[in-house]
Amino acid sequence: MPWQSLKSALLFNAIVCAVFGVPLVTAGAFFAGLAGAHAGAIPVWLATAAGAALLVLAMDLAWVATRRPIPRLLARLLTLADAAFVVAMPVVMLVASPWLSNIGQLLLADLVLITAFCVWCQWRGLRQPAHA
C-alpha cells in the first residue's frame, strides 16, 4: 500500500504517472479532443507533451524508489514538484476553463486529486526514519 513506506509511495506515484502518460502519448489527439470544449481548443502536441512529461516523471520516481538507500533529497524534490503541481493546477484550470470541456475539467481534477494523494503518501514516507 502506498502509504506504508516512502518506496511504495514513490513506486505508486510512478505507476500513476505511467497510467496517465501512456494514453496521452499514444492517443494524444483523442484526449485533446475529449478535453477541449470545441475542436482544436487543446492542441494535440500539448496532450502528447504532457504525456511525455508524465513518463519522464514516472521514470524519475521509479529510479529514486529503487535506490538503496533512497536519496531523500531527490524524494523531497519530487514530492515538492508534485505539491507545486497540485497548487498550480486549479489556477490553470480556471484560466483555461473557456477552452476545456466538462470532461476535460473532470479529468484534470481527477489528476490533481490523485497527485495530492501521492504527495500525502510520499510526505508520510519522508517523515519516517531513513532506515524504515
Side-chain angles (χ1 to χ4, degrees):
M1 292 184 211
W3 52 86
Q4 291 183 335
S5 72
L6 180 57
K7 179 178 182 167
S8 59
L10 291 167
L11 289 174
F12 177 76
N13 195 350
I15 291 167
V16 167
C17 288
V19 165
F20 275 91
V22 168
L24 284 171
V25 168
T26 59
F30 172 76
F31 285 101
L34 188 65
H38 55 287
I42 307 295
V44 175
W45 68 265
L46 185 60
T48 305
L54 283 169
L55 291 176
V56 169
L57 179 59
M59 290 185 293
D60 289 342
L61 288 161
W63 186 86
V64 170
T66 56
R67 300 304 97 196
R68 199 169 192 122
I70 293 175
R72 300 196 53 93
L73 177 61
L74 292 177
R76 278 188 193 98
L77 289 174
L78 289 167
T79 303
L80 285 173
D82 280 342
F85 174 82
V86 169
V87 170
M89 202 57 183
V91 174
V92 170
M93 291 169 60
L94 189 62
V95 169
S97 64
W99 301 284
L100 289 171
S101 66
N102 290 339
I103 293 173
Q105 292 277 3
L106 182 64
L107 290 172
L108 290 175
D110 288 343
L111 180 60
V112 169
L113 290 173
I114 291 169
T115 304
F117 175 71
C118 290
V119 168
W120 179 74
C121 292
Q122 288 168 210
W123 176 76
R124 283 183 49 122
L126 284 166
R127 289 184 38 204
Q128 295 175 352
H131 57 79

